[in-house]
Amino acid sequence: MANDIFNDSIQINVQDATLVGDLMIPVDAKGLVVFAHGGDSGRLGKANRFVAEHLHQYGFATLLFDLLTEEEEEEYKNTRDIPKLSQRLIDTIYWIQKDDVTKDYNFGFLGFDKGTAAALGAAAALGDMADAVVGIGGRPDLSDTVLADVHSPVLFIVGGKDEKVLEMNIQAQNQLLGIKDVEIVPDATHLFEEPGALEMAAQLATDWFRKYLGPNKQQPLRQSQP
């Protein structure tokens, strides 16, 4: 497991905004997981950080950033504007492919709640470029019009007691045409706050990326940073 982490605060310029993010890369990282979340679950959220740290332990780099600016978050409609959020993710991938630090990494998406819909929208547009998608407590129903266009292997992780969202995820799984699965965390509710629930979700996500997030285009050497 990786211990040394390259850690940098970055700014990502998209079409109509500048987004703030945290890029963390273990030495000899196996790939880059780009987190997707809207205004109600920012990059500093406890669950996001927990899952990111778990991925680091297994050698995956992570990029956590807010898809909306602080001003945009104040308008609720923006948090449900899935085409806008998806485009922000697509623009971020183009930034990743041009940046010297990240350009050599293959990538996957990890979405929470409505971020799952944004990740699926971006994956549909990017085609085979995205190696894998994971949604935790996700709302894939908000991107149901593009599900048939997603080629990436997709895993939905849902709490066993989050019955309405579980039904939405099963319906979305049936619309996906590629590799897909739904994993249920027993006795967990929507936020995975029960003892051990988030740990299980993080491990399921990590296992999916270990299976489907392919090797890097080349293995760039990263120096650890205190």
Side-chain angles (χ1 to χ4, degrees), residues 7 22 24 35 43-54 56 64:
N7 193 333
D22 297 315
M24 290 159 277
F35 280 53
R43 74 185 192 283
L44 301 179
K46 180 180 178 181
N48 295 316
R49 293 284 169 172
F50 182 89
V51 176
E53 290 172 4
H54 195 275
H56 299 157
L64 281 71

Side-chain angles (χ1 to χ4, degrees), residues 43-112:
R43 74 185 192 283
L44 301 179
K46 180 180 178 181
N48 295 316
R49 293 284 169 172
F50 182 89
V51 176
E53 290 172 4
H54 195 275
L55 287 165
H56 299 157
Q57 293 175 14
Y58 287 85
F60 289 102
T62 60
L63 173 59
L64 281 71
F65 68 107
D66 297 321
L67 290 172
L68 299 171
T69 65
E70 291 184 5
E71 293 76 15
E72 289 172 334
E73 289 175 6
E74 294 176 358
E75 294 190 41
Y76 178 72
K77 66 178 183 179
N78 287 325
T79 69
R80 297 184 65 88
D81 189 343
I82 303 305
K84 180 176 185 174
L85 299 178
S86 296
Q87 187 59 53
R88 293 277 173 91
L89 276 176
I90 294 168
D91 292 343
T92 298
I93 295 306
Y94 293 150
W95 178 91
I96 285 171
Q97 293 178 326
K98 294 177 181 178
D99 186 80
D100 289 339
V101 175
T102 55
K103 65 182 181 181
D104 293 318
Y105 290 106
N106 289 342
F107 68 91
F109 292 119
L110 191 151
F112 286 85

Side-chain angles (χ1 to χ4, degrees), residues 176-199:
L176 292 166
L177 302 180
I179 298 170
K180 71 282 184 81
D181 198 4
V182 174
E183 289 279 5
I184 299 173
V185 179
D187 299 321
T189 52
H190 187 62
L191 298 179
F192 297 88
E193 295 177 320
E194 295 72 21
L198 191 57
E199 289 85 344

